[in-house]
Amino acid sequence: MKKLINTLVVSSFLLMSGNLLAGPPATIDQLSWMTGNWAGNLGPNQLEENWISNEGNSLMAAVRMTGADATSMFEVITIEEVEGSLVLHIQQWDAGFQPRTEAAQKLELSEITENSVKFEDVSGFGMPTLGYSHPDADTFIIHVGQEGGNTFDIELKARSIW
């Protein structure tokens, strides 16, 4: 009985501290491969992602979708080191800085390798999963999770704008 009580006390403490709910251990430095300017076609549009170097335990991207001589979407993505794992926030706006959602979507780390990362939604809205991979020096792939478990991949290529 004493062993059962001790197990319950330890389990309760871990649940309250959030350690059982956190993603796998990771640091922001593990995502340095994401840094750079990436662009590619998304239907008739061009999607551009500009990932800024790791600093202050965070990584950030400014994203823009353009086509037909106009901008149709802006997006800000942040990935932060939180309690020994990583958390991604993403928010989109239409042209004129009109928000597409009331708040940013929050996703927590679910998988990480040397050149890929995957996050799962904890907000209850938006993409079920969002991931990124870097199979070679010139390719950056966005893996957008869909309802039902399918994934839509967007392939971008490295480019220099400076």
Side-chain angles (χ1 to χ4, degrees):
M1 183 63 149
K2 186 175 181 179
K3 185 176 181 179
L4 176 61
I5 291 172
N6 286 341
T7 301
L8 289 173
V9 168
V10 169
S11 297
S12 296
F13 175 76
L14 289 173
L15 282 171
M16 288 187 303
S17 68
N19 289 339
L20 289 179
L21 303 176
T27 66
I28 202 69
D29 292 332
Q30 290 175 262
L31 299 182
S32 61
W33 55 266
M34 295 176 74
T35 301
N37 177 264
W38 310 95
N41 293 330
L42 184 56
N45 298 313
Q46 176 175 274
L47 184 68
E48 173 187 14
E49 295 208 356
N50 298 285
W51 286 89
I52 302 167
S53 298
N54 308 345
E55 190 168 327
N57 290 326
S58 69
L59 185 65
M60 182 190 147
V63 181
R64 173 175 56 188
M65 188 173 352
T66 57
D69 293 326
T71 299
S72 59
M73 187 266 299
F74 296 102
E75 179 179 85
V76 172
I77 305 168
T78 61
I79 302 174
E80 298 172 276
E81 202 171 305
V82 177
E83 297 179 5
S85 191
L86 302 173
V87 175
L88 181 147
H89 289 93
I90 183 169
Q91 176 91 39
Q92 296 179 338
W93 295 267
D94 289 323
F97 218 60
Q98 299 299 312
R100 291 186 170 191
T101 57
E102 289 185 28
Q105 182 181 3
K106 179 180 178 183
L107 299 99
E108 292 182 351
L109 181 66
S110 61
E111 298 173 21
I112 189 166
T113 70
E114 184 178 332
N115 64 350
S116 70
V117 64
K118 182 178 179 183
F119 296 88
E120 290 185 7
D121 175 58
V122 295
S123 299
F125 67 92
M127 300 165 279
T129 63
L130 180 60
Y132 301 92
S133 63
H134 188 42
D136 60 59
D138 293 324
T139 307
F140 186 85
I141 302 172
I142 306 166
H143 308 281
V144 182
Q146 307 288 299
E147 294 297 329
N150 292 331
T151 302
F152 176 70
D153 291 342
I154 304 167
E155 185 174 312
L156 306 179
K157 292 295 183 181
R159 70 177 190 169
S160 176
I161 58 173
W162 297 281

